[in-house]
Amino acid sequence: MIHQIDTTDNIVAFRALAEVTKEDFQSVVVPAVEKLVKQINEINFLLVLDTDIENFTAGAWLQDAMLGLKHLGKWNRAAIVSDSEEIISFTNGFSYVVPGEFKGFKKEAFNKALNWVEGNIN
C-alpha cells in the first residue's frame, strides 16, 4: 500500500506500507507524478519505505521501471528514506546511471530528505 504525503507543490512524496502492488503504483504514484510533470516539467520525488523491499510485488517493480523510463529526462531529485544500508547505497549509486540526483536517507533524517528534495538544501 502506498499513501501520498502532503508536501509542497514542487514535489511528490509517498509512504510505502505492507505489500506494494502494481495497482498502488497505477492509482497513487503514476497520477501524482504525471500531474507534477505537467505542472513543473520535472520530477522531485520522495519515497519513505516503511515496509521491506521484498513486499513490492513484481508488478509494482514493473510499474516503477516504466514510470522511470517514460520520464527519464524529467528526474531532478529523488530521495528514498529507509533504514536499510543496502537501499541507501543503491539509491546513492543511481545518479551515476540515470539523469537527476538520487540520494538515500535514514528514517531519522526524514526532514533533511524532504528539504533536499524540495531544493532547500544541497
Side-chain angles (χ1 to χ4, degrees), residues 1 3 7 13 33 38 45 52-53 57 61 68-69 71 79 81-83 94 104 115:
M1 176 176 297
H3 297 283
T7 59
V33 169
K38 285 180 184 173
F45 183 92
D52 291 330
I53 204 74
T57 67
W61 284 118
L69 290 173
H71 296 294
V81 179
S82 171
D83 283 335
F94 226 66
N115 284 319

Side-chain angles (χ1 to χ4, degrees), residues 81-83 105-112:
V81 179
S82 171
D83 283 335
F105 293 87
K106 290 280 197 176
K107 288 182 182 177
E108 66 193 28
F110 171 81
N111 288 333
K112 184 176 180 180

Side-chain angles (χ1 to χ4, degrees), residues 11-61:
I11 75 167
V12 288
F14 306 94
R15 182 176 310 278
L17 305 162
E19 184 180 60
V20 178
T21 66
K22 172 184 174 180
E23 290 77 21
D24 292 326
F25 267 85
Q26 290 176 326
S27 65
V28 179
V29 177
V30 172
V33 169
E34 296 287 347
K35 181 180 176 186
L36 184 66
V37 168
K38 285 180 184 173
Q39 288 177 336
I40 67 170
N41 201 34
E42 68 182 12
I43 301 170
N44 298 304
F45 183 92
L46 178 103
L47 176 61
V48 178
L49 293 176
D50 278 336
T51 189
D52 291 330
I53 204 74
E54 293 85 16
N55 288 329
F56 280 70
T57 67
W61 284 118

